[in-house]
Amino acid sequence: MLPWDRIEPWDYVIAHVSDEYHKKYDMVEREDIQQSLYEWFLKHPNKLDEWEAIGHKDAKNLIYRSLRNQALDYCQAWKAKSVGYETSDLFYYEPDMVEALLPAILRDDFTVMPILNLGKTGRPPAPSEGGNMMAMMVEIKAAYLKLNEDDKTVLFYKYAESLDYAAIAKEMEIGSEDAARMRHNRAIKKLINRIGGYKPFLDKDIADPVTEIDDEQPEQIDEADDE
């Protein structure tokens, strides 16, 4: 049993993530989400040791990421059970799929059916496999229209006009190719969050080398900015 004094320093992260996912899944009690996050610590003592050893800032980012995945998995499972479907029935859009569809969507060419590799291991059947590619494209277009103007612009330049990042940076006056690439990546994340979000990844409690850590707290999508 992991002692409380090991969990207590991260209690503010647990509280923050519990609040965040209770707002997204208001049918799930905040206290139930919180309990699920405490259980993450009890099941991952090795991960906690490993991450705390590399420093507080990096540990915080990694713990935020894992607790958000834990909360998402818990809330989706709770919702599935209460509504009456299996979590295995959930379909998740992945960035490569969205990016393959965006050129046709943003050019309003819904007669074009992009060829997608939808048979990847572990990926649930996509709506397109049941003849619903059009439904996917309509859903992505609706989410795109709800983004803020900067996000819509960078995606339009990239996929409708086929501009590279250097040209996008020049058109949008944002300074550099890297800045354009980062803005594009943020826009794709926001788009995917509007059509269901990313599939949660659940950690195993084994010591893996940490190869890449974000410098900041994992990005929170501000939905209000996109209205």
Side-chain angles (χ1 to χ4, degrees):
M1 179 70 70
L2 196 67
W4 170 247
D5 62 359
R6 293 295 315 284
I7 303 174
E8 186 176 18
W10 303 108
D11 200 40
Y12 74 99
V13 179
I14 293 171
H16 186 279
V17 175
S18 299
D19 287 341
E20 179 183 345
Y21 278 84
H22 176 58
K23 291 176 182 176
K24 294 178 179 180
Y25 294 84
D26 58 4
M27 75 292 294
V28 185
E29 294 292 337
R30 180 188 179 280
E31 291 74 14
D32 291 338
I33 300 171
Q34 190 174 44
Q35 182 61 38
S36 172
L37 302 186
Y38 283 126
E39 290 174 3
W40 181 91
F41 285 90
L42 298 179
K43 294 177 180 178
H44 296 84
N46 294 323
K47 280 290 184 189
L48 186 59
D49 288 342
E50 175 193 356
W51 291 349
E52 287 183 331
I54 63 177
H56 181 83
K57 181 180 179 181
D58 290 337
K60 180 184 72 172
N61 292 334
L62 290 163
I63 289 170
Y64 257 115
R65 183 180 66 186
S66 288
L67 291 187
R68 284 193 172 106
N69 278 301
Q70 175 77 9
L72 177 59
D73 184 68
Y74 178 83
C75 291
Q76 288 183 337
W78 196 99
K79 182 178 179 181
K81 183 178 179 179
S82 63
V83 174
Y85 62 86
E86 299 293 330
T87 53
S88 59
D89 293 335
L90 292 172
F91 173 72
Y92 297 93
Y93 288 91
E94 296 185 13
D96 57 347
M97 179 189 303
V98 172
E99 291 179 38
L101 289 168
L102 277 172
I105 292 169
L106 298 186
R107 293 167 184 158
D108 289 321
D109 189 359
F110 281 60
T111 62
V112 176
M113 294 290 105
I115 298 174
L116 302 177
N117 177 18
L118 300 177
K120 292 182 180 179
T121 302
R123 178 183 288 179
S128 59
E129 294 177 352
N132 293 325
M133 177 71 81
M134 182 68 72
M136 291 174 64
M137 296 174 74
V138 169
E139 185 173 34
I140 295 170
K141 180 65 177 286
Y144 167 82
L145 292 174
K146 294 179 181 178
L147 296 176
N148 64 41
E149 288 304 316
D150 283 344
D151 291 330
K152 286 192 289 188
T153 298
V154 71
L155 294 180
F156 188 85
Y157 280 148
K158 176 68 174 174
Y159 297 102
E161 299 193 359
S162 301
L163 299 186
D164 60 24
Y165 290 117
I168 292 171
K170 182 177 180 180
E171 290 291 334
M172 297 185 69
E173 299 180 346
I174 53 178
S176 71
E177 183 176 342
D178 285 342
R181 182 180 292 106
M182 290 176 63
R183 182 162 295 183
H184 162 271
N185 292 343
R186 286 169 60 93
I188 290 291
K189 287 181 182 178
K190 290 182 181 181
L191 184 59
I192 289 175
N193 272 284
R194 283 196 170 274
I195 51 179
Y198 293 88
K199 184 175 182 179
F201 173 81
L202 300 181
D203 297 295
K204 296 181 180 179
D205 193 36
I206 55 177
D208 293 326
V210 177
T211 56
E212 183 176 347
I213 304 168
D214 293 336
D215 289 336
E216 302 295 339
Q217 178 180 322
E219 176 187 357
Q220 298 177 49
I221 302 302
D222 188 352
E223 300 290 351
D225 287 346
D226 299 335
E227 298 299 338

